Amino acid sequence: GAVVSQHPSWVICKSGTSVKIECRSLDFQATTMFWYRQFPKQSLMLMATSNEGSKATYEQGVEKDKFLINHASLTLSTLTVTSAHPEDSSFYICSATRLAGVGYEQYFGPGTRLTVT
Amino acid sequence: AQSVTQLGSHVSVSEGALVLLRCNYSSSVPPYLFWYVQYPNQGLQLLLKYTSAATLVKGINGFEAEFKKSETSFHLTKPSAHMSDAAEYFCAVSLNDYKLSFGAGTTVTVRA
């Protein structure tokens, strides 16, 4: 089956530093990758849509200079939280899509828990 | 714009009892509808997906959902709950089959 991995699974960083989160589709090439943010006991909020070789499309209210997304290949997208602050602490989840028949299949990574101290 | 509303943030059922999770959607065009399950500190796993082929959709782990256009609903059911069904469940809607909008989620607890 299709597997999406994220690294790291858990990271603690100090306020003001930057953190990079990787999202990889291990056994398929992803047409599009998505980044979500999830606060405790809440739903997933779409942050941005990422396509290989092009700039990410950010959802309204998401700071593109703070959440840098790079999609270097069809199997790798990275999210960098720049100058992190405690309010950036959250669970970040990526997903990767591939064509399946006439539609798409979307596979989610296991998530990365970011804690900013 | 499309959206989903999940009725009930928390559902508690006895093992072996019916599980019913409610989801209503709002969409200007025929939507794609999904149910996902999330276990603690994990990503999401697709339970089932509606793509207008059949109104009754069967998914994994014994779950199924019925699309009712007249009620704009896509409720998730499982006839007999198992302890392993305890998790967070999300209903989601999409216009184009991949950009998803999620509901607030419903936490399911299963009593022995």
Side-chain angles (χ1 to χ4, degrees):
Chain A
V3 178
V4 175
S5 70
Q6 285 185 238
H7 178 80
S9 57
W10 189 23
V11 58
I12 301 174
C13 71
K14 292 186 176 181
S15 186
T17 63
S18 295
V19 174
K20 179 183 286 188
I21 302 170
E22 290 187 350
C23 176
R24 292 182 185 272
S25 55
L26 298 185
D27 50 2
F28 67 98
Q29 292 185 326
T31 52
T32 302
M33 288 184 172
F34 296 93
W35 286 96
Y36 296 86
R37 183 174 182 177
Q38 185 181 31
F39 291 102
K41 305 293 185 183
Q42 295 188 31
S43 188
L44 282 75
M45 180 192 77
L46 179 65
M47 299 175 67
T49 303
S50 174
N51 292 293
E52 183 263 341
S54 61
K55 289 184 178 180
T57 301
Y58 290 82
E59 296 298 303
Q60 191 172 11
V62 177
E63 299 175 63
K64 60 181 67 177
D65 294 331
K66 181 164 189 62
F67 298 100
L68 300 179
I69 293 173
N70 181 272
H71 198 147
S73 74
L74 287 171
T75 60
L76 173 65
S77 177
T78 60
L79 168 68
T80 301
V81 183
T82 62
S83 186
H85 291 283
E87 57 266 29
D88 299 324
S89 298
S90 191
F91 195 51
Y92 292 88
I93 300 175
C94 74
S95 69
T97 62
R98 69 173 179 180
L99 284 171
V102 295
Y104 293 92
E105 296 286 351
Q106 185 164 170
Y107 302 93
F108 286 81
T112 297
R113 184 161 302 284
L114 170 63
T115 301
V116 184
T117 61
Chain B
Q2 69 282 4
S3 65
V4 288
T5 301
Q6 290 184 242
L7 303 176
S9 60
H10 186 220
V11 169
S12 179
V13 298
S14 298
E15 191 174 19
L18 171 72
V19 179
L20 170 61
L21 305 182
R22 301 178 187 274
C23 174
N24 287 90
Y25 70 91
S26 173
S27 178
S28 57
V29 297
Y32 295 89
L33 292 161
F34 307 78
W35 275 100
Y36 285 89
V37 61
Q38 184 182 33
Y39 296 99
N41 295 311
Q42 294 186 28
L44 274 67
Q45 181 182 9
L46 179 67
L47 285 175
L48 48 82
K49 169 182 173 181
Y50 168 75
T51 60
S52 77
T55 57
L56 183 62
V57 183
K58 293 188 182 297
I60 63 171
N61 301 340
F63 285 94
E64 63 181 36
E66 186 172 8
F67 174 74
K68 291 186 176 181
K69 185 177 180 180
S70 61
E71 299 177 9
T72 61
S73 68
F74 190 58
H75 301 333
L76 180 72
T77 61
K78 181 174 180 177
S80 177
H82 191 271
M83 297 300 288
S84 60
D85 294 325
E88 188 80 14
Y89 291 79
F90 292 97
C91 181
V93 63
S94 174
L95 295 181
N96 52 21
D97 196 22
Y98 66 90
K99 188 172 180 179
L100 303 172
S101 294
F102 287 90
T106 299
T107 303
V108 172
T109 57
V110 182
R111 306 185 303 272

